[in-house]
């Protein structure tokens, strides 16, 4: 099934894919500034939490999906020193920013290759990665079941998917405040900083339409992942899920 990622309703996949390409190719250069301002720096804490939970070792091959400007890949490089990272994204303009950071030494000694990849159709062999990382990616994919099946396919048995995504605060008051912030302030801030208000209206809508912590875990389980756990950050505004591919 494919959906409109802004509403969660069934729709042709092309609608969401074209929109996401338009948005991220035009905001690529301003993306990092917006991230920092809109989350009041919290995204750094969430990324640190993701690194803490990620079961990645020094001999691992890591695939970063929806890698954007490379934040996750560089954090993995610094925190885990894996053998190799494949940093991928649907939008080459986002990867161009990542390539520039890499050229400035953002990954230290860790080798990183960059490639345009649609996470719903991963062009790599079965069982080729020890771990997959993905931050703020799955929410933007209209064919989520297919994407998760692809992730399972390219992971080695026992390998882990580590997924950071916006989620749903369990406490009602916090959820209401956050809902107001999403609906009114994110489009305002985003528009002011990047000049692309529509992109941030989409961000708010896609977060609202995205499954909560349990819903995402269920999607992962349906795709064949097991031992699924999650940890909330900032009262559940964001969550990191870790899901394992069963041993053969
Ligand atoms: C909000 S950004 C996150 C980037 C990065 N992971 C980070 O933490 O800053 C979302 C990224 O998902 C990418 N994306 C959206 N749909 C995708 C797909 N089907 N396959 C791969 N990447 C996708 C977009 O191009 C964009 O770079």
């Amino acid at each position: 099934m494919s959906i409109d990622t802004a509403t969660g309703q069934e729709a042709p996949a092309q609608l969401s894919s074209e929109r996401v390409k338009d948005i991220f190719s035009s905001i690529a250069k301003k993306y990092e500034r917006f991230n920092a301002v809109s989350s009041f720096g919290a995204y750094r804490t969430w990324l640190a939490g993701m690194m803490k939970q990620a079961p990645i070792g020094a001999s691992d091959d890591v695939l970063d999906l929806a890698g954007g400007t490379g934040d996750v890949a560089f954090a993995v490089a610094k925190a885990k020193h894996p053998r190799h990272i494949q940093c991928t994204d649907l939008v080459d303009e986002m990867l161009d920013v990542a390539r520039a950071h890499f050229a400035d030494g953002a990954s230290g000694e860790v080798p990183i290759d960059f490639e345009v990849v649609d996470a719903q159709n991963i062009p790599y062999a079965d069982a080729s990665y020890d771990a997959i990382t993905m931050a703020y990616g799955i929410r933007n994919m209209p064919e989520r079941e297919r994407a998760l099946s692809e992730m399972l396919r390219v992971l080695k048995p026992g390998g882990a998917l580590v997924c950071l995504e916006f989620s749903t605060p369990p406490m009602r008051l916090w959820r209401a405040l956050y809902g107001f912030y999403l609906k009114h302030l994110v489009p305002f801030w985003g528009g002011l900083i990047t000049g692309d208000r529509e992109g941030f209206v989409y961000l708010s809508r896609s977060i609202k339409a995205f499954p909560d912590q349990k819903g995402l875990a269920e999607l992962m389980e349906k795709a064949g992942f097991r031992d699924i756990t999650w940890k909330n950050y900032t009262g559940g505004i964001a969550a990191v899920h870790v899901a394992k591919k069963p041993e053969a």
Side-chain angles (χ1 to χ4, degrees):
M1 182 178 113
S2 72
I3 55 163
D4 175 350
T5 55
T7 63
Q9 303 298 313
E10 204 163 337
Q14 205 186 350
L15 181 133
S16 298
S17 295
E18 291 304 320
R19 178 177 50 213
V20 101
K21 275 188 203 163
D22 281 354
I23 292 174
F24 286 102
S25 56
S26 63
I27 68 165
K29 293 208 171 86
K30 297 167 191 159
Y31 171 78
E32 289 166 341
R33 190 150 39 110
F34 172 77
N35 242 359
V37 174
S38 66
S39 72
F40 297 105
Y43 81 105
R44 283 277 153 221
T45 313
W46 303 342
L47 186 57
M50 184 186 192
M51 291 307 111
K52 219 169 170 183
Q53 283 189 68
I56 296 175
S59 59
D60 284 356
D61 285 314
V62 179
L63 172 61
D64 185 36
L65 293 170
T69 59
D71 247 12
V72 174
F74 301 132
V76 169
K78 282 182 200 135
K80 309 287 182 181
H81 313 285
R83 204 180 71 81
H84 179 262
I85 302 172
Q86 187 74 2
C87 177
T88 64
D89 196 277
L90 186 65
V91 174
D92 208 24
E93 286 86 344
M94 292 291 276
L95 290 178
D96 275 343
V97 178
R99 289 182 187 104
H101 292 321
F102 180 71
D104 289 342
S107 81
E109 301 290 299
V110 176
I112 302 186
D113 284 298
F114 300 90
E115 191 173 14
V116 172
V117 166
D118 183 344
Q120 301 160 125
N121 191 16
I122 302 174
Y124 304 137
D126 296 359
S128 45
Y129 288 96
D130 299 285
I132 293 177
T133 52
M134 178 175 54
Y136 318 112
I138 188 87
R139 177 175 37 85
N140 294 300
M141 295 173 199
E143 295 177 285
R144 290 176 188 151
E145 288 166 18
R146 181 168 160 180
L148 289 167
S149 299
E150 279 289 86
M151 293 174 212
L152 192 78
R153 180 182 67 74
V154 300
L155 271 175
K156 295 178 188 171
L161 164 64
V162 188
C163 173
L164 166 60
E165 191 48 90
F166 288 103
S167 205
T168 306
M171 278 182 59
R172 200 186 296 175
L173 179 62
W174 188 226
R175 191 162 65 237
L177 285 171
Y178 175 54
F180 179 85
Y181 172 72
L182 265 185
K183 189 162 177 205
H184 300 288
L185 300 182
V186 166
F188 172 76
W189 269 129
L192 205 68
I193 295 166
T194 68
D196 176 15
R197 189 175 187 280
E198 276 320 297
F200 294 93
V201 171
Y202 165 72
L203 173 67
S204 294
R205 294 182 73 201
S206 69
I207 292 174
K208 195 154 178 269
F210 191 67
D212 65 9
Q213 290 82 339
K214 191 163 172 279
L216 178 57
E218 282 166 3
L219 277 182
M220 290 171 168
E221 189 169 17
K222 205 168 155 200
F225 285 96
R226 294 293 176 264
D227 301 327
I228 304 162
T229 57
W230 71 82
K231 189 167 164 32
N232 285 336
Y233 291 90
T234 317
I237 287 179
V240 174
H241 285 68
V242 179
K244 296 275 181 66
K245 176 168 178 169
E247 297 285 352

